[in-house]
Amino acid sequence: MTQEAFQERGSLEQRPASEHGIPLVAPGYSLASVGDKISSIVLTRQTPRTWWLGFGFAFSLVLLLHYAVVWLFTFGVGVWGINIPIAWGFAIVNFVWWIGIGHAGTLISAILLLMHQQWRTSINRFAEAMTLFAVACAGLFPLLHLGRPWFFYWLLPYPNTMLLWPQWRSPLIWDVFAVLTYFTVSLVFWYVGLIPDLATMRDRAAGRLGQVFYGVLALGWRGAAEHWRRYQALYVLLAGLATPLVVSVHTVVSFDFSIAILPGWHSTIFPPYFVAGAIFSGFAMVLSIAIPVRAFYRLEDLITLRHLQNMAKIMLVTGLMVSYGYLMEAFMAWYSGDLLEQYSQTNRMLGPYAWT
């Protein structure tokens, strides 16, 4: 476990048994057993049958995705119902959704680290991993939307014989650079934070293969004072780089909609509205992962009710911000006096898609 995790968890003698009536630690909690408990999940515990059942179900969904992509390439993006007024359709909805849930990992790791919120250490690992998987999934949809995705490299500015350059006024180009930058920084930040943990796995691995595998990834970490000093300096630096990305990336994503002149999309509230929605949905996904993992691997003494309560408070705040965004969207449609904006809002609330 990381140094921050040990400092945050402390001992039972130094921490109150409960806070506002909510127990902070489970009975039988022992600081010395933290490393053993986490590493045993990977190194010594047998993979249960339920894990294979879950893996098989997830793999069947991946096969369904492959079938859908082949169908898309065969018949074209028209299968999504794309027409002139609805230029993005299915692809952009999925893109924004995946990018949104991917923001919580960086928020937990970077912003909470800079704010010295040490409770993040019990949840930041799988939150960061969720970010990487979510951004990888999000990157698929702009490419699939291209129609001819094998020419995706045309989106990048490189000298070529055809003198073709990207259309810099297109949000698609902005998305490419924003997502690539966000993925790169998130990957480096996740890996640097894992280095002490990989060294722990290296030292506890019984087989030679595991020792070599984790040893290569641990980059020679020995836990020396100089190692910790450089690690913490780099970790804070990367957190400082990742923090503005949380805001800027989803602001760029919101421009996919807000720079369009379509009624209902052409709105200046979209950037903060999308950022708050991304953090809100991202923390919802972290909770959706944390609660089953906490129960399945019996980590109640590491992921306590205090952690779940803190995440729920952040969801409450960002949920109120999103509600304000919805309210302002309806208010400005009325206040603007634009008949097309008013029709668009009324049609959304009372039209054929009102049930959604």
Side-chain angles (χ1 to χ4, degrees), residues 267-270 272-273 320-336 341 345:
S267 175
T268 55
I269 201 174
F270 272 26
Y273 173 39
L320 290 173
M321 294 169 66
V322 173
S323 300
Y324 174 80
Y326 275 118
L327 183 64
M328 284 299 102
E329 199 175 0
F331 171 77
M332 291 308 298
W334 167 79
Y335 187 71
S336 66
E341 285 282 348
Q345 187 69 28

Side-chain angles (χ1 to χ4, degrees), residues 32-52:
S33 66
V34 171
D36 290 331
K37 187 163 189 175
I38 297 298
S39 59
S40 67
I41 295 175
V42 179
L43 298 176
T44 60
R45 190 180 298 181
Q46 291 292 327
T47 304
R49 183 176 299 176
T50 51
W51 187 93
W52 288 109

Side-chain angles (χ1 to χ4, degrees), residues 114-325:
L114 295 175
M115 297 176 67
H116 303 287
Q117 299 295 312
Q118 294 180 340
W119 59 270
R120 59 177 276 283
T121 54
S122 284
I123 56 176
N124 70 314
R125 286 291 175 263
F126 58 78
E128 293 169 8
M130 181 197 75
T131 290
L132 297 177
F133 289 125
V135 174
C137 292
L140 290 174
F141 288 97
L143 299 182
L144 296 176
H145 176 267
L146 292 177
R148 294 187 293 172
W150 46 92
F151 294 133
F152 71 93
Y153 57 90
W154 288 5
L155 296 170
L156 303 175
Y158 70 98
N160 61 82
T161 57
M162 295 179 289
L163 299 178
L164 289 175
W165 291 90
Q167 172 55 273
W168 295 106
R169 290 179 293 178
S170 170
L172 189 63
I173 305 301
W174 309 344
D175 287 335
V176 169
F177 285 93
V179 172
L180 285 178
T181 305
Y182 184 61
F183 179 77
T184 303
V185 173
S186 298
L187 180 64
V188 174
F189 188 64
W190 169 75
Y191 177 63
V192 168
L194 268 181
I195 289 175
D197 299 334
L198 292 169
T200 300
M201 301 295 285
R202 173 201 63 201
D203 298 336
R204 295 175 182 271
R208 180 61 180 167
L209 180 62
Q211 292 173 353
V212 171
F213 176 75
Y214 291 117
V216 170
L217 294 177
L219 302 179
W221 178 273
R222 294 296 173 190
E226 184 66 13
H227 289 184
W228 278 110
R229 186 183 70 82
R230 293 178 177 176
Y231 164 83
Q232 290 173 342
L234 177 59
Y235 206 42
V236 171
L237 176 63
L238 288 172
L241 288 173
T243 299
L245 281 176
V246 173
V247 177
S248 63
V249 169
H250 221 61
T251 299
V252 171
V253 169
S254 74
F255 290 161
D256 291 342
F257 298 89
S258 62
I259 69 163
I261 60 173
L262 288 178
W265 283 15
H266 195 60
S267 175
T268 55
I269 201 174
F270 272 26
Y273 173 39
F274 271 51
V275 171
I279 298 171
F280 175 65
S281 58
F283 267 91
M285 184 58 70
V286 170
L287 279 171
S288 299
I289 297 174
I291 293 172
V293 166
R294 179 176 181 263
F296 189 77
Y297 291 108
R298 298 182 180 178
L299 300 175
E300 291 86 355
D301 49 351
L302 303 180
I303 305 174
T304 66
L305 289 177
R306 174 192 171 209
H307 298 101
L308 302 182
Q309 188 182 58
N310 286 344
M311 287 191 284
K313 289 176 180 177
I314 294 175
M315 282 190 62
L316 176 62
V317 172
T318 53
L320 290 173
M321 294 169 66
V322 173
S323 300
Y324 174 80

